[in-house]
Amino acid sequence: QGNTASGNLTFAAGSFARAVHSNSGVLSFDTRSRPCTSNRSGTLRVCVENGFVVNDMDIEKSINSSAEAAALNAVAIADNAAAISTNAALLSSHSSSISANAVNISSNADTIKSHSSDIETLRRSDAVRTTADAWHAANISANAAAISWNVANISINANDIATNSAGVSSNSDAIASNAAAISANSDTIASNGAGISANADAITSNAAD
């Protein structure tokens, strides 16, 4: 109804289908009696009111869904692009941090190497100190033994001094007693001398008579 196939080698079917371009085809299935006209030569145009179904698939709805999905994907792509830009900035910042950390790691490695050398020096010093401490300990032990021996000798000497002091005291007493005896003997000698002198005088007197 109301179909027109005016172009060369054209085809029009349905209602109000108009194939006006050569080698074109038009299928119009619209209950509202709106004309469906070919676009250009060598094309097939289909106008439907309630969907274009192929093997139970509504092509129009599928196309619309695809368009909506494409729009959502475009939004997602834009969001992803922004996220990628942000991540790129973070990566750049992290790269700087990694470079700085690499420098710090290198510096720390040098410090650790230096500390290792210091530790080895201290270890060797400790070994020398340990040997010296052992030597000092041996000397201290030897000195302690010598001190103990000297203390024992001092004790022996003290006993000898006490014994000698007792002997000296006894000798002093004997000397004092001898001195008293000598003094007494001196008095006796003096008395005897006086008696002898008197006797001599008497003898002299008697001889004169």
Side-chain angles (χ1 to χ4, degrees):
Q1 176 185 357
N3 296 321
T4 302
S6 59
N8 186 33
L9 300 175
T10 59
F11 172 77
S15 59
F16 301 101
R18 297 193 301 175
V20 297
H21 299 86
S22 60
N23 301 98
S24 64
V26 179
L27 299 175
S28 178
F29 304 100
D30 193 337
T31 59
R32 293 166 294 186
S33 301
R34 293 186 302 181
C36 180
T37 305
S38 61
N39 299 98
R40 58 184 179 272
S41 299
T43 61
L44 172 64
R45 184 177 183 187
V46 179
C47 298
V48 294
E49 182 180 352
N50 295 314
F52 181 54
V53 180
V54 177
N55 293 332
D56 296 328
M57 178 181 290
D58 192 325
I59 302 300
E60 184 180 7
K61 289 182 178 180
S62 178
I63 291 172
N64 290 336
S65 296
S66 296
E68 292 175 358
L72 292 175
N73 287 336
V75 173
I77 289 170
D79 291 340
N80 289 335
I84 289 170
S85 178
T86 300
N87 289 334
L90 291 175
L91 285 174
S92 178
S93 175
H94 290 163
S95 295
S96 299
S97 297
I98 289 170
S99 297
N101 289 334
V103 173
N104 289 334
I105 288 170
S106 178
S107 176
N108 290 337
D110 292 338
T111 301
I112 290 170
K113 184 177 180 180
S114 176
H115 288 169
S116 297
S117 177
D118 292 341
I119 289 170
E120 179 62 18
T121 301
L122 291 175
R123 186 187 67 79
R124 292 179 180 177
S125 297
D126 287 341
V128 172
R129 189 179 297 109
T130 299
T131 302
D133 289 344
W135 183 82
H136 289 314
N139 282 341
I140 290 170
S141 179
N143 290 333
I147 290 170
S148 178
W149 183 82
N150 288 332
V151 168
N153 282 340
I154 289 170
S155 178
I156 292 171
N157 291 332
N159 290 332
D160 290 342
I161 290 170
T163 300
N164 291 333
S165 295
V168 169
S169 178
S170 177
N171 289 333
S172 296
D173 292 340
I175 290 169
S177 177
N178 290 332
I182 289 168
S183 177
N185 289 332
S186 295
D187 292 338
T188 301
I189 290 169
S191 177
N192 289 334
I196 289 169
S197 179
N199 288 331
D201 290 338
I203 291 169
T204 300
S205 175
N206 289 331
D209 291 337

